[in-house]
Amino acid sequence: MQYRTLADTTVSAIGLGAMPLSIEHRPDEARAIATVHAALDAGVTLIDTADSYHWHAGEVGHNESLIARALARYGGDTSGVLVATKGGRGRPGDGSWTVNAAPAHLKRAAEASARRLGADAIGLYQLHKPDPAVPWADSVGALRELLDAGTIRAAGISNVTTSQILEAHAILGDGLVSVQNQYSPAVRDSEPELRLSARLGLAFLPWSPLGGISRSSLDGPSGPTSAGTPFHHIAAERGVSPQQIVLAWLLAHSPAVIPVPGASRPSSITASARAAELTLSAEELRRLDR
């Protein structure tokens, strides 16, 4: 495993996106915990979760509690594992997603997440999505209060624009350490946010990083995938999977990037972790960038 810097912490260059372990079509608990353990065995030290990663109504925090149980049952040392969670979204149980980034809600949500994770303080707490009903500065101000109270050690923001990153950075200063936007072979709209994150010294955690090559957990079994792309061609030449080529491409794209691919079975995260070992040539990168 290769490693990258997230604020003053060193984490694995590939993280585990834990959402598929708790939402629709989730595996049973035994396989879910085995998936987390396989990630740890492969050297993964960053796990991405959220209080809204659940399937049914009344399951708030399902994924956080699952991660806490998996870590507690792991036979090895987990002291170096950073669990990053998020607040500000909800799932009423009908498949939809809601947004609530009101300061009072965020503070209650963070405190509840810390209890579920069994943590004195959350290592990285991310505002899941801007709330159009709440001034951005007010939502970010709640993160500032959580930092000052010691409820969280570091803050992140997700699904944001460059102007929102700059405003959050002005409010949080060094307390802001990460940006999590969608970025993949199929969705490259967040290139400006990635560049700004790198300039500000923030980690950039692309969500749904395999988009266009693999279905997202939110797409369902009928979601579209591509075939015959440069990622597929180079994978065939290398004798690896297209997904591994995508992750290697993301890592080569910027030292700020730390992909967190989702997984619902041990073999998936084991394969994803191996992508950190791949070094793409300049010519291969040119083909992929096109």
Side-chain angles (χ1 to χ4, degrees), residues 22-231:
S22 289
I23 65 165
E24 291 85 336
H25 316 294
R26 65 192 181 201
D28 61 31
E29 178 153 325
R31 195 175 94 191
I33 288 179
T35 300
V36 176
H37 289 178
L40 299 174
D41 289 343
V44 171
T45 62
L46 174 63
I47 300 176
D48 180 76
T49 181
D51 62 359
S52 58
Y53 289 170
H54 62 89
W55 184 352
H56 306 292
E59 288 188 326
V60 174
H62 182 282
N63 198 242
E64 293 171 324
S65 298
L66 174 68
I67 296 304
R69 289 195 298 276
L71 291 174
R73 296 177 193 175
Y74 186 63
D77 181 17
T78 60
S79 61
V81 176
L82 174 63
V83 178
T85 192
K86 295 180 285 293
R89 301 207 74 178
R91 300 204 76 199
D94 61 359
S96 66
W97 294 77
T98 59
V99 181
N100 183 355
H105 171 77
L106 289 174
K107 286 184 277 189
R108 287 194 303 269
E111 291 164 359
S113 290
R115 287 194 296 271
R116 284 188 290 267
L117 292 170
D120 295 332
I122 297 171
L124 173 57
Y125 191 71
Q126 302 164 97
L127 175 54
H128 208 152
K129 187 176 184 179
D131 185 342
V134 179
W136 178 239
D138 291 355
S139 297
V140 176
L143 298 181
R144 177 74 268 170
E145 292 183 35
L146 289 166
L147 285 165
D148 293 342
T151 307
I152 67 176
R153 294 194 179 94
I157 50 178
S158 182
N159 298 297
V160 289
T161 64
T162 53
S163 62
Q164 288 168 331
I165 294 171
L166 290 170
E167 187 172 0
H169 190 257
I171 295 169
L172 299 172
D174 291 342
L176 179 66
V177 303
S178 66
V179 170
Q180 188 169 31
N181 278 15
Q182 186 175 17
Y183 193 86
S184 69
V187 181
R188 306 188 191 187
D189 299 346
S190 280
E191 187 71 40
E193 288 75 23
L194 193 165
R195 290 197 301 269
L196 177 59
S197 297
R199 181 166 66 81
L200 295 175
L202 308 176
F204 186 88
L205 284 58
W207 62 264
S208 197
L210 303 176
I213 303 300
S214 293
R215 287 187 294 270
S216 164
S217 294
L218 295 179
D219 289 337
S222 60
T225 58
S226 299
T229 70
F231 293 89

